[in-house]
């Protein structure tokens, strides 16, 4: 498939690694924002091939992982109700709530269905006018346009038995929150290419200037990531901090204007809680007044649900880049993909799942 073989070439990867080694004279800590980038880094062993001076810190860019526990519990409450068809992408079904997950709700008789598009859920609502159909709308700027379009279509078609449980979050406020944390060690970022393909790059120069930190928009294949790391290190070594776009084949500076117009129409910015991190101001979306009637949280009156995280799960620290997954005492013991304590062990983009899948069960430190 195009861009898989070309951007996984081991000879070119070796050249990029040589270039990175040649320019690296100090220790640098870089954060890849996106969970897809984390999995690619761990799968291909990129973090172990880099010079010892470069540390990759795994960021909070896994949409399943940052969905708050209380939102999961709201989903479980709605899905268990009679007359409801609860629709979700498959990666949400095993995410643990306080005492259950969507798979258990389904096994207990709830009508929980895996769909491949929010438009599938809208079609279910049209086909079942006597049922309430709810779609679990989570994720970053990447998945939000499809969810916005579905709500727009529901209103245009007059479908009143469809609603959206919204938990959308935004990347730039998360970068600001990371940089303002007293424990922050991040000196440069690899930006999430798919997010920027929707939103463009205009939101990042102010972050670069305010926090004096390089941000390199990067793809997901090995050569994408190595080139992003090379450019970030070059900036750090020369004392520069700029926004660079190393993913121009997918990311225009202006983003996708049609998608952004749809987002502005259907959603409005709001404070949003991130699982394991807390509330980040102006870091999420909710349905705007014109589409508020499609808000499942209001329709099913579940706004009052509040929860507490597991006492032994340290996924919040993993999401903030404060620890690596294997540094949690529960990792691989009480917490496994079959018995997850936190969403970072469930999601296909979670750092804990990546470390478990690719057998990073202990720290390998060659820095002597």
């Amino acid at each position: 498939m195009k861009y898989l073989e070309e951007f996984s070439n081991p000879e070119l990867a070796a050249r990029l690694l040589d270039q990175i080694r040649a320019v690296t004279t100090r220790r640098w800590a870089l954060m890849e924002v996106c969970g897809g980038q984390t999995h690619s880094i761990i799968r291909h062993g990129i973090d172990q091939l880099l010079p010892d001076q470069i540390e990759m810190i795994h960021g909070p860019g896994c949409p399943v992982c940052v969905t708050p526990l209380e939102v999961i519990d709201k989903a479980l409450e709605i899905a268990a109700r009679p007359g409801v068809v609860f629709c979700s992408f498959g990666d949400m079904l095993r995410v643990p709530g306080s005492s259950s997950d969507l798979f258990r709700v389904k096994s207990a008789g709830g009508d929980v269905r895996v769909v491949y598009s929010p438009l599938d859920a809208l079609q279910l609502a049209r086909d079942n006018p006597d049922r309430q159909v709810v779609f679990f709308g989570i994720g970053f700027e990447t998945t939000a346009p499809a969810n916005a379009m579905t709500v727009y279509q529901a209103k245009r078609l007059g479908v009143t038995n469809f609603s959206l449980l919204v938990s959308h979050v935004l990347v730039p406020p998360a970068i600001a929150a990371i940089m303002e944390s007293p424990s922050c060690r991040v000196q440069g970022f690899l930006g999430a290419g798919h997010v920027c393909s929707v939103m463009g790059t205009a939101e990042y120069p102010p972050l670069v200037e305010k926090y004096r930190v390089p941000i390199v928009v990067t793809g997901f294949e090995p050569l994408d990531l190595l080139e992003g790391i090379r450019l970030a290190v070059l900036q750090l070594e020369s004392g520069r901090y700029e926004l660079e776009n190393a993913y121009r084949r997918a990311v225009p500076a202006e983003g996708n204007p049609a998608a952004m117009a749809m987002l502005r129409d259907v959603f409005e910015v709001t404070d949003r809680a991130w699982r394991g991190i807390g509330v980040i101001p102006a870091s999420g979306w909710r349905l705007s007044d014109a589409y508020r009637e499609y808000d499942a949280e209001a329709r099913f009156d579940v706004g009052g649900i509040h929860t507490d995280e597991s006492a032994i799960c340290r996924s919040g620290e993993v999401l903030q880049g404060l620890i690596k997954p294997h540094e949690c005492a529960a990792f691989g013991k009480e917490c496994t993909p079959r018995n997850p304590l936190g969403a970072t062990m469930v999601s296909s983009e979670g750092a804990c799942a990546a470390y478990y899948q690719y057998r990073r069960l202990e720290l390998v430190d060659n820095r002597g």
Side-chain angles (χ1 to χ4, degrees), residues 8-22:
S8 302
N9 185 301
E11 293 181 4
L12 294 177
R15 289 185 202 173
L16 282 170
L17 284 164
D18 287 342
Q19 293 173 21
I20 292 169
R21 293 188 191 100

Side-chain angles (χ1 to χ4, degrees), residues 95 111 355:
V95 178
D111 194 345
Y355 271 60

Side-chain angles (χ1 to χ4, degrees), residues 19-201:
Q19 293 173 21
I20 292 169
R21 293 188 191 100
V23 300
T24 303
T25 65
R26 297 170 53 188
R27 292 190 181 277
W28 301 112
L30 306 178
M31 175 177 280
E32 80 278 2
V33 173
C34 175
Q37 292 172 336
T38 298
H39 262 252
S40 188
I41 287 169
I42 302 304
R43 176 187 176 189
H44 296 286
I46 290 172
D47 56 329
Q48 295 180 326
L49 295 171
L50 290 169
D52 293 342
Q53 301 101 310
I54 298 177
E55 178 187 1
M56 298 306 301
I57 299 174
H58 313 313
C62 163
V64 174
C65 305
V66 300
T67 303
L69 183 61
E70 64 185 48
V71 174
I72 303 298
D73 281 357
K74 290 172 184 177
L76 300 176
E77 167 69 20
I78 294 170
R81 295 193 183 183
V84 169
V85 180
F86 193 90
C87 300
S88 172
F89 295 143
D91 55 1
M92 292 301 299
L93 266 65
R94 295 194 63 245
V95 178
S98 295
S99 59
S100 186
D101 59 35
L102 286 169
F103 264 130
R104 292 187 179 124
V105 170
K106 182 177 177 66
S107 68
D111 194 345
V112 177
R113 305 190 192 186
V114 173
V115 295
Y116 298 97
S117 164
L119 290 169
D120 294 341
L122 179 59
Q123 187 60 50
L124 277 171
R126 298 181 71 186
D127 294 341
N128 297 273
D130 58 332
R131 309 282 299 280
Q132 286 290 330
V133 178
V134 182
F135 180 74
F136 200 176
I138 72 153
F140 289 89
E141 296 93 329
T142 318
T143 56
N147 293 341
M149 173 58 76
T150 303
V151 174
Y152 171 85
Q153 287 283 73
K155 183 170 184 176
R156 186 179 71 85
L157 296 169
V159 181
T160 59
N161 62 320
F162 173 82
S163 58
L164 193 70
L165 181 61
V166 182
S167 187
H168 279 301
V169 287
L170 308 175
V171 168
I175 290 177
I178 288 165
M179 291 306 299
E180 291 176 8
S181 169
S183 55
C184 177
R185 298 186 297 111
V186 179
Q187 296 164 292
F189 288 92
L190 302 185
H194 53 1
V195 169
C196 293
S197 70
V198 174
M199 303 300 293
T201 58

Side-chain angles (χ1 to χ4, degrees), residues 1-7:
M1 184 179 291
K2 190 170 178 61
Y3 298 137
L4 292 184
E5 291 185 6
E6 295 97 320
F7 286 84

Side-chain angles (χ1 to χ4, degrees), residues 293-315:
E293 63 192 288
Y294 294 96
D295 184 353
E297 185 173 322
R299 181 173 295 190
F300 294 94
D301 192 23
V302 293
I305 292 178
H306 300 287
T307 53
D308 295 317
E309 294 281 356
S310 164
I312 64 172
C313 176
R314 300 179 68 186
S315 62

Side-chain angles (χ1 to χ4, degrees), residues 317-335:
E317 294 168 82
V318 172
L319 288 168
Q320 296 176 71
L322 301 179
I323 65 170
K324 297 291 195 293
H326 59 264
E327 295 176 290
C328 173
F331 176 80
K333 302 179 181 71
E334 294 92 344
C335 184

